[in-house]
Amino acid sequence: MSEKELDEFISELQNNNVELYSFVAENVSEDLSDDEMDALVSDLESDYLSLREFVISALEE
């Protein structure tokens, strides 16, 4: 995935809560409660660099 494609994908995730939640739920490495998942998604949604790091890590697996 190119840098441009990665940035576009991250922007899509930030602009669509359902897609972001699904992506995080599929790629989180631990079992989280609903409240913990909501908090993680909220944090990632508002922090581009953290979301970028999470996406890169998920794509590398």
Side-chain angles (χ1 to χ4, degrees):
M1 181 177 279
S2 72
E3 287 293 317
K4 183 178 179 180
E5 291 170 327
L6 181 61
D7 289 340
E8 289 172 357
F9 181 64
I10 293 167
S11 292
E12 284 178 29
L13 290 175
Q14 283 187 307
N15 292 322
N16 187 325
N17 288 343
V18 174
E19 282 188 40
L20 177 58
Y21 194 95
S22 294
F23 184 82
V24 172
E26 291 173 11
N27 293 288
V28 73
S29 60
E30 54 197 64
D31 290 331
L32 299 177
S33 70
D34 289 343
D35 288 340
E36 291 170 323
M37 182 66 73
D38 289 345
L40 176 58
V41 169
S42 180
D43 289 346
L44 291 174
E45 180 181 30
S46 62
D47 184 350
Y48 180 86
L49 292 178
S50 292
L51 178 56
R52 189 176 200 282
E53 183 178 317
F54 184 86
V55 168
I56 290 171
S57 176
L59 294 176
E60 288 178 346
E61 293 182 4

